Amino acid sequence: MPELDVDGKRISVDADGFLVNYEDWNEAVAAALARKEGIKEFAPGMLDALRFMRDYYVRYKFFPIIRAVCKNVGQPKDCITENFIDPATAWKLAGLPNLGEEMDIFEYGPPD
Amino acid sequence: MAKEPIKEELLQSISYKAPKTFWMDTPAQIKPGMFCWGAKAKSLNVVGMPNARDWNPLDEDWKLPENWQEILIEGLRERLDKYRSLRLFLDICVRCGACADKCHFYIGTGDPKNMPVVRGELMRSIYRKYFTTPGKVFGKLAGARELDLQVLKEWWTYFFQCTECRRCSVFCPYGIDHAEITIAGRELLNLLGLNIEWIQGPVSNCYMKGNHLGLEPQTIVSNVEFMVDDIETLTGIRINPTFNRKGAEILFVTPSGDLFADPGTYTCMGYLMLFHELGLDYTWSTYASEGGNFGFFTSNEMAKRLNSKIYAEAKRLGVKWILGGECGHMWRLVHQYMDTWNGPAGFLEVPKSPITGTVFDNAKSTKMTHIIEFTADLIKHGKLKLDPSRNDHLKVTFHDSCNTARGMGVFEEPRHVLKNICRNFYEMPRETIKEQTFCCGSGSGLNAGEDMELRLRGGLARANAVKYVHDKHGVNMLANICAIDRASLTTSMNYWVPGVTVAGVHELVANALVMTGEKKRETDLRGEPLPAPEDQTSVSARAVAQPEGEKAGGEANV
């Protein structure tokens, strides 16, 4: 299984670079995941956005409404797409599981 | 997910020249970007579909049962006996070609097998071979052919390159409904476990959780509460919608997409604001939480099973009638199938607007009314206070959803609403609207990520008509009354006609709706600034039909 080196600690990720263990996530891990996506540093509020997504996932087992994430961290409603390329990348950086094609719902919208 | 093709390359690749080989000798190509992934074992198993296994359409081996030909032929025999329309449509086509260039997929691909007549021939040739004497005796000479693996893959390719929009049927001199052939084709493919996951996943979600997305009850409530918060920010008014409330007069059911993604969430805010202003005695349900029905893209039986939960919930809650949100295929089901599947719903009353007293006789049997009919009736009776100048930053055109237009004849209601809530409304060319409307390009469960090239090709015809009014009149808003439209047209417009956004009609209704006790609106539902105040004051005085007391005073200051 591929691993990510964060401050000398080995963190397991899957073949697509998603964190394997939800609990492994912290700011340093998020920064390491972000670098792999070409994101050098987090824009204001974006670490809070990732934390919000993590909490939401635990409670609701689903993708949050994207602009709800932004509103909750006091950012403009397009904050996710502007700072993370797309919602699926934000999901990955939040250390949430790889849901494969189901992530398309998050990125392209719902079936109906 | 597939990468978007380059626009110029895509346009140049469309050729209407026929291939050199005879159509029967030209195998279907299963190309990335043009198909959806096969249904997974876990999704097929949830609803007990046959031949549940994981499979890849790109593999040579589709892991079919040994006697798959027999299953398919027997399945066709059963359906020929059951559906007279199918036998008729297979028998009577004279291949005149009137339908040939009417299909958005043919226009966007140039592939002759996307001519409805040829798509029909894919099944007709098998029908002739196994069910007609000339076909049995003369074979290919009589347009018949053996059912082999190449034919099966061709069926799968092209029955999932048809959105069942029925535009072709409008032009057929015999009235052949090629959507019915596709529907039967997909049913037959499902006997072999050959659905696509983008349909099967939502079907199994809906069966287990009550909606396509698989939203849990607490997620539904949380998402609605988020919208309620947004409405409070916008209007200063706190709305308190109820869920699963017994004894409500009306059960409200809408596609679950409205609860999750923009721009559907804005449409949903529109419903919430309208119902609050009316003081409507209604309830949401977290059980019947899906208006759409992807079972319809699977089989009649599956559609019936998923549809039944709406009546079951209406009965459990003891409501009088059902109001449905903005959706397309949902309404073809409700209008044309629900009553024979799960009706008549004798325990409900004929829908009657508690505000105007209008009885919706067209829903006498199903007891379920489309919100656009409900709202058009409100406006016709002057029951809404509207300030259309709040939509002055929008130049609006209307996309008729295939199913509400051709499936139930809803043409004038959305236009009546739009002309009362905005002042810049422009129609697309005649041959692209109303009964001749072009599909969004992604209907019937084809709006996945991996078939993006197919969707963009299929969306070209509609986008081209939007581009016409965008260039000519500066149209920047494509209104519609369908959740699939809201998702798929957004993608299509971003690609083909940047500068045009997409909204459900009830989002625009809520922009214009003057609510009792609301604070001065600074923005529209999306948080975009409203047109400049000085422009607005002069127009709003004209626009507000019946200014009265406090509300009108409040408005004049906007």
Side-chain angles (χ1 to χ4, degrees), chain A residues 17-87:
Chain A
F18 285 82
L19 220 58
V20 173
N21 303 311
Y22 175 91
E23 300 298 339
D24 281 348
W25 192 89
N26 58 37
E27 284 185 24
V29 171
L33 290 167
R35 277 194 296 277
K36 287 189 85 99
E37 302 293 328
I39 297 166
K40 290 194 182 69
E41 59 181 319
F42 290 115
M46 288 306 103
L47 266 170
D48 285 340
L50 298 183
R51 286 193 193 97
F52 176 86
M53 289 174 74
R54 288 172 61 78
D55 291 346
Y56 188 93
Y57 177 73
V58 170
R59 288 172 69 186
Y60 300 113
K61 299 280 175 286
F62 206 72
F63 311 106
I65 297 175
I66 298 166
R67 66 190 167 90
V69 179
C70 300
K71 187 174 179 178
N72 271 284
V73 298
Q75 295 293 321
K77 67 184 164 104
D78 298 324
C79 77
I80 296 293
T81 35
E82 277 175 13
N83 294 309
F84 290 118
I85 306 162
D86 55 39

Side-chain angles (χ1 to χ4, degrees), chain B residues 234-426:
Chain B
L234 180 77
T235 63
I237 296 171
R238 186 74 191 175
I239 290 175
N240 294 303
T242 59
F243 299 86
N244 308 328
R245 179 165 60 89
K246 287 189 176 176
E249 182 181 356
I250 297 164
L251 168 65
F252 180 65
V253 180
T254 199
S256 61
D258 284 351
L259 296 168
F260 166 63
D262 301 346
T265 51
Y266 299 116
T267 315
C268 196
M269 284 165 66
Y271 307 146
L272 288 162
M273 290 163 72
L274 175 69
F275 299 160
H276 173 84
E277 183 59 20
L278 295 172
L280 207 62
D281 178 16
Y282 81 105
T283 184
W284 292 81
S285 166
T286 56
Y287 167 70
S289 46
E290 180 61 68
N293 189 331
F294 273 30
F296 189 57
F297 310 136
T298 303
S299 69
N300 265 305
E301 192 50 39
M302 191 57 66
K304 179 181 172 177
R305 281 166 75 185
L306 299 185
N307 175 265
S308 66
K309 71 188 183 296
I310 299 178
Y311 278 156
E313 183 68 335
K315 196 169 197 172
R316 187 179 77 87
L317 297 175
V319 300
K320 287 184 182 166
W321 58 281
I322 308 162
L323 181 63
E326 293 186 9
C327 186
H329 73 279
M330 162 183 180
W331 288 97
R332 182 148 160 228
L333 296 183
V334 171
H335 191 66
Q336 300 186 338
Y337 296 84
M338 185 171 179
D339 194 40
T340 40
W341 282 337
N342 295 313
F347 58 93
L348 294 170
E349 295 174 15
V350 180
K352 179 181 173 183
S353 171
I355 317 297
T356 65
T358 299
V359 177
F360 294 96
D361 275 326
N362 58 332
K364 195 182 258 177
S365 200
T366 59
K367 318 290 198 297
M368 188 159 178
T369 295
H370 194 300
I371 191 167
I372 201 71
E373 298 176 291
F374 178 75
T375 303
D377 174 65
L378 292 169
I379 292 176
K380 187 175 162 57
H381 287 88
K383 297 294 183 187
L384 298 181
K385 191 166 176 200
L386 300 165
D387 178 359
S389 73
R390 290 182 188 169
N391 282 318
D392 272 358
H393 55 314
L394 304 175
K395 293 190 171 177
V396 182
T397 191
F398 181 69
H399 162 76
D400 293 271
S401 309
C402 309
N403 286 304
T404 51
R406 284 186 284 266
M408 63 187 295
V410 168
F411 300 135
E412 299 310 326
E413 292 86 345
R415 290 175 169 80
H416 180 70
V417 172
L418 282 169
K419 286 170 186 171
N420 280 278
I421 58 172
C422 63
R423 300 189 302 173
N424 306 303
F425 177 73
Y426 303 92

Side-chain angles (χ1 to χ4, degrees), chain A residues 56 59-60 62-65 67-68 71 77 101-102 104-112, chain B residues 1 212-213 218-219 223 226 230 233 255 257 260 262 265-266 290 294 447 452 483-484 526:
Chain A
Y56 188 93
R59 288 172 69 186
Y60 300 113
F62 206 72
F63 311 106
I65 297 175
R67 66 190 167 90
K71 187 174 179 178
K77 67 184 164 104
E101 291 145 32
E102 280 176 46
D104 280 7
I105 291 174
F106 202 28
E107 197 163 350
Y108 295 103
D112 70 17
Chain B
M1 56 193 84
H212 287 161
L213 290 169
Q218 72 272 23
T219 314
N223 286 10
F226 166 72
D230 260 13
T233 308
F260 166 63
D262 301 346
T265 51
Y266 299 116
E290 180 61 68
F294 273 30
N447 57 329
M452 192 51 78
I484 289 183
R526 299 191 184 200

Side-chain angles (χ1 to χ4, degrees), chain B residues 141-192:
Chain B
L141 279 175
R145 59 175 176 169
E146 298 273 348
L147 176 61
D148 58 19
L149 200 59
Q150 184 177 308
V151 170
L152 183 74
K153 293 194 172 188
E154 190 179 51
W155 274 32
W156 187 82
T157 305
Y158 292 101
F159 290 140
F160 289 104
Q161 280 190 26
C162 165
T163 48
E164 305 175 3
C165 82
R166 301 163 82 220
R167 187 170 191 267
C168 50
S169 72
V170 173
F171 299 88
C172 176
Y174 283 94
I176 296 173
D177 181 353
H178 273 103
E180 285 216 23
I181 294 177
T182 294
I183 289 167
R186 289 191 186 184
E187 267 204 42
L188 293 169
L189 290 165
N190 266 284
L191 298 176
L192 305 174

